[in-house]
């Protein structure tokens, strides 16, 4: 994107806009998830808030400046429409067959869904970059039933990230087993139908049918849950009375 040039001739950097197509999780995140597949959703949620939270906040700020008086509902709808469309395309991102391609597909879908949730939060005036959004993500995406267990798991994952940076990941299970565990955890995060799609893609010929199809219905359901949460609890994320 080129910089805007105001009347004084000095360039002004514009905030980054949401991508026009689905993008995969960053390479460093894949490395952490492969090294620690049990906590893959937690690693993804932490990285999403760190990396995508500021993007979502800047998007909402810019959208309000460009659309004076726009309502939170309209902004949320704009975000949902964009990322549901991305979800429909996410199955075609990897172009790879078999288990590795299937794992990449569900990883891209889970990343796209996290991006959508954070943009919805920003649309309703919630701080998309606050660490509590990682907890929201895990509960909204049904990785954890309650916020308390999500926070505990995030703490464990964060500790394992620090330990991995200091001491390395240590012994690693065979790659096939790692990819299967990673795929199962990411598919759980992206939705039940995404799990079915992932395993169907491993079957020869199934990828032809699944092609560009993605779990848009699960993404729409997630969008509805996200809008209900942030519409009613715009300042504080998951309400404590709903954690039990």
């Amino acid at each position: 994107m080129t910089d805007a040039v105001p009347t004084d001739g000095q360039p002004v950097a514009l905030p980054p806009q949401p991508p026009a197509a689905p993008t995969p999780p960053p390479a460093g995140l894949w490395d952490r998830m492969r090294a620690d597949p049990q906590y893959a959703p937690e690693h993804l949620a932490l990285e999403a808030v760190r990396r995508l939270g500021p993007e979502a906040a800047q998007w909402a700020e810019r959208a309000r400046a460009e659309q004076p008086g726009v309502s939170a509902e309209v902004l949320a709808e704009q975000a949902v429409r964009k990322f549901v469309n991305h979800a429909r395309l996410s199955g075609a991102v990897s172009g790879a067959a078999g288990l590795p391609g299937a794992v990449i597909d569900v990883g891209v879908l889970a990343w796209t869904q996290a991006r959508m949730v954070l943009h919805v939060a920003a649309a309703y005036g919630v701080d998309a970059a606050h660490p509590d959004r990682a907890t929201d993500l895990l509960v909204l995406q049904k990785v954890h039933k309650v916020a308390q267990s999500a926070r505990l798991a995030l703490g464990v994952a964060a500790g394992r990230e620090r330990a991995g940076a200091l001491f390395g990941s240590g012994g690693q299970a065979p790659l096939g087993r790692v990819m299967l565990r990673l795929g199962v955890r990411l598919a759980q995060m992206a939705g039940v139908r995404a799990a079915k799609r992932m395993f169907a893609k491993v079957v020869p010929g199934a990828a032809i049918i699944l092609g560009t199809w993605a779990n848009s219905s699960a993404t729409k359901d997630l969008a509805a849950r996200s809008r209900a949460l942030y519409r009613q609890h715009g300042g504080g994320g998951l309400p404590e009375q709903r954690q039990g």
Side-chain angles (χ1 to χ4, degrees):
M1 178 183 297
T2 58
D3 292 339
V5 180
T7 55
D8 62 4
Q10 297 299 314
V12 175
L14 297 177
Q17 295 300 293
T23 57
L29 173 58
W30 279 116
D31 291 341
R32 289 196 297 275
M33 292 193 298
R34 280 194 300 266
D36 193 20
Q38 179 182 354
Y39 287 94
E42 288 78 11
H43 291 301
L44 190 148
L46 288 167
E47 185 68 16
V49 172
R50 284 193 293 255
R51 188 176 291 255
L52 304 178
E55 169 198 285
Q58 291 172 336
W59 163 79
E61 181 179 0
R62 179 174 174 81
R64 292 189 183 98
E66 292 179 343
Q67 306 172 65
V70 67
S71 70
E73 293 295 331
V74 169
L75 285 183
E77 181 59 32
Q78 291 173 2
V80 168
R81 189 182 307 115
K82 175 183 287 288
F83 292 110
V84 167
N85 286 337
H86 286 191
R88 291 193 181 101
L89 298 173
S90 64
V93 169
S94 71
L99 182 58
V103 173
I104 293 172
D105 284 353
V106 293
V108 171
L109 180 56
W111 186 250
T112 298
Q113 290 178 342
R115 184 176 246 129
M116 179 190 68
V117 171
L118 294 172
H119 278 71
V120 169
Y124 286 104
V126 177
D127 183 0
H130 193 283
D132 284 351
R133 299 295 79 75
T135 302
D136 294 356
L137 282 171
L138 293 176
V139 177
L140 286 167
Q141 291 179 287
K142 298 185 177 180
V143 176
H144 293 278
K145 292 183 178 180
V146 296
Q148 182 178 6
S149 64
R151 292 189 190 103
L152 289 173
L154 286 167
V156 172
R160 290 159 81 98
E161 284 186 15
R162 290 190 292 271
L166 288 172
F167 306 114
S169 58
Q172 184 60 276
L175 181 60
R177 192 193 320 164
V178 170
M179 293 298 285
L180 182 59
R181 291 179 64 193
L182 177 56
V184 168
R185 293 295 285 152
L186 290 176
Q188 177 190 4
M189 189 176 196
V192 174
R193 293 186 184 181
K196 293 179 180 178
R197 184 186 70 198
M198 187 193 80
F199 289 111
K201 187 170 182 178
V202 178
V203 179
I208 297 175
I209 300 173
L210 296 169
T212 60
W213 181 82
N215 198 351
S216 59
S217 61
T219 305
K220 289 178 181 177
D221 290 344
L222 174 62
R225 294 194 298 273
S226 302
R227 294 182 72 169
L229 170 64
Y230 294 123
R231 180 186 298 121
Q232 297 175 18
H233 307 281
L238 290 165
E240 293 299 320
Q241 64 266 28
R242 293 176 57 189
Q243 292 177 5

